[in-house]
Amino acid sequence: MAESSVDVLIVGAGPVGLFGAYYAGARGLSTAVLDSLPEPGGQITAMYPEKAIFDVAGFPAIRGRELVSNLVAQAAPFSPGYLLGQQAIGLERGDDFVVTTTAGDRVRAKAIIVTGGIGTFTPRPLPTGEELLGHGVVHFVPKPDEYSGLDVVIVGGGDSAVDWALLLEPIAKSVTIVHRRAAFRAHPYSVEVMQKSSVQIVTDAQVAAVLGDPVTDVEVTVGEESRKLPCDRLVAALGFLANLGPLLEWGLKIEQRRHIVIDTTMSSSVPGVYAAGDICDYPGKVRLIATGFGEVATAVNNAVAFIDPHASVFPGHLSDYAPPGVLGSPTSS
Ligand SMILES: Cc1cc2nc3c(=O)[nH]c(=O)nc-3n(C[C@H](O)[C@H](O)[C@H](O)COP(=O)(O)OP(=O)(O)OC[C@H]3O[C@@H](n4cnc5c(N)ncnc54)[C@H](O)[C@@H]3O)c2cc1C
């Protein structure tokens, strides 16, 4: 159990929280970043570290893992404290805020920025075969190289399922995607690429049984017909059950138990508590990394003015603040 004190506590070390840590440091705030997962990177690290991301400004294409590591490196000159593997549970409000964690830590902060994404996320279980998790059934594909030479069946029709099919297609012996509907929910371009690839697509299909221990085959029903697919790895990509959990008890205005309602300064209904990224909501909100980066910059700048009412919301142009040794700073060559 530890006590610490910072200017701003960022709850959630996903891409948006990590960029917030850089931005808060650049604005002269001491910062801690708290996450229930053991590694930074949020959904990227947990779900698609090897996927190429094409819609982050300045990068024509960047692997998820690389983006996270760049974000950590960008914040590093400002030495944010990382409290990983512990969930934020309680919020006490007095002159400052105190957030308590599952590890029993208490973090005192003058302002809080919640970048909790979809909250604590648990994969949606397979209707059948979930008991074989770890015996050939998986929910994530953190190390695609381990799929070399394997028959892979992916179950699902969203972005994760299609992205993993495309990622594993050049590595695995075979990739089959099984989806219960006719149309995929994933990005249309990804679906088009998959349709032109060697991925076998089985639609309007249900998994009837997962056979073997470890898994050897999957039985699927397509209409009246039953098919047996060879399978060394079954990737269950049926989405996630998101739960804001303890954040629901913080007294913030919440939309449909999933999103924190914010105003144009990214302030929640509790002054001094801001939100950015996937967790926040306002009319027209688009849940992407690019939009989250802008939101957290706005949140940090407004938090600066909340902490010190004499400070300006506008930061000036940040090249003036570049840390020593970083490109553009007075000390860089
Ligand atoms: C398969 C897939 C592909 C995608 N591809 C793209 C893409 O190509 N481009 C794009 O822009 N977006 C993409 N996205 C969406 C993108 O990943 C999200 O928009 C982004 O991760 C949101 O970042 P965030 O930091 O707001 O939240 P998250 O990444 O969800 O991170 C939130 C973090 O907060 C932590 N947390 C939550 N509650 C607590 C708590 N109480 N205490 C401590 N920690 C907590 C969580 O553990 C998590 O690590 C994709 C998503 C998926 C699933």
Side-chain angles (χ1 to χ4, degrees):
M1 178 170 155
E3 296 231 9
S4 52
S5 184
V6 285
D7 292 324
V8 64
L9 172 66
I10 297 177
V11 178
V16 175
L18 292 174
F19 186 59
Y22 155 75
Y23 214 99
R27 287 234 51 190
L29 302 178
S30 61
T31 308
V33 189
L34 175 63
D35 204 298
S36 43
L37 297 176
E39 284 183 68
Q43 291 175 53
I44 300 178
T45 301
M47 299 183 215
Y48 58 102
E50 299 301 330
K51 182 177 105 91
I53 303 170
F54 300 102
D55 52 356
V56 174
F59 295 102
I62 184 163
R63 291 235 169 266
R65 186 187 295 286
E66 203 186 334
L67 178 63
V68 171
S69 125
N70 284 357
L71 286 164
V72 171
Q74 188 176 19
F78 302 105
S79 306
Y82 287 98
L83 303 164
L84 299 177
Q86 44 185 313
Q87 190 185 32
I89 39 175
L91 176 69
E92 296 167 14
R93 290 151 69 176
D95 288 343
D96 289 336
F97 298 100
V98 176
V99 168
T100 51
T101 80
T102 42
D105 286 8
R106 292 171 61 81
V107 187
R108 184 174 292 277
K110 295 174 186 153
I112 293 177
I113 300 177
V114 185
T115 50
I118 51 176
T120 304
F121 40 93
T122 28
R124 206 180 284 277
L126 275 170
T128 175
E130 189 69 14
E131 67 283 1
L132 290 164
L133 198 62
H135 295 242
V137 173
V138 297
H139 287 294
F140 302 107
V141 184
K143 294 183 181 157
D145 289 345
E146 292 178 352
Y147 288 67
S148 172
L150 301 184
D151 289 310
V152 180
V153 175
I154 296 169
V155 184
D159 280 308
S160 303
V162 173
D163 284 349
W164 279 328
L166 292 175
L167 182 71
L168 295 175
E169 187 245 7
I171 300 168
K173 185 169 149 200
S174 72
V175 176
T176 306
I177 188 163
V178 176
H179 181 35
R180 68 192 163 112
R181 300 193 199 284
F184 286 88
R185 287 190 323 278
H187 195 289
Y189 178 72
S190 305
V191 175
E192 198 184 315
V193 174
M194 181 176 74
Q195 283 163 339
K196 289 180 186 155
S197 76
S198 71
V199 172
Q200 298 165 63
I201 300 171
V202 185
T203 50
D204 296 307
Q206 301 272 7
V207 173
V210 184
L211 308 171
D213 184 2
V215 176
T216 54
D217 300 273
V218 174
E219 203 174 283
V220 295
T221 46
V222 189
E224 301 293 295
E225 189 196 333
S226 175
R227 284 190 215 168
K228 206 168 171 186
L229 306 169
C231 177
D232 302 303
R233 287 285 182 288
L234 174 66
V235 183
L238 301 171
F240 291 86
L241 299 164
N243 184 3
L244 293 198
L247 302 181
L248 292 171
E249 312 304 321
W250 283 18
L252 313 174
K253 187 173 177 202
I254 304 263
E255 181 75 14
Q256 294 179 339
R257 295 183 64 80
R258 292 177 64 185
H259 300 126
I260 298 173
V261 177
I262 44 101
D263 64 18
T264 54
T265 69
M266 309 309 294
S267 175
S268 73
S269 57
V270 173
V273 179
Y274 298 81
D278 276 15
I279 200 165
C280 76
D281 201 37
Y282 51 86
K285 163 73 184 165
V286 175
R287 290 191 166 77
L288 285 175
I289 297 163
T291 46
F293 284 168
E295 290 162 0
V296 80
T298 299
V300 169
N301 283 312
N302 282 282
V304 167
F306 173 81
I307 292 168
D308 175 5
H310 301 293
S312 165
V313 171
F314 183 63
H317 292 293
L318 281 174
S319 51
D320 303 342
Y321 296 78
V326 172
L327 183 69
S329 73
T331 55
S332 67
S333 52

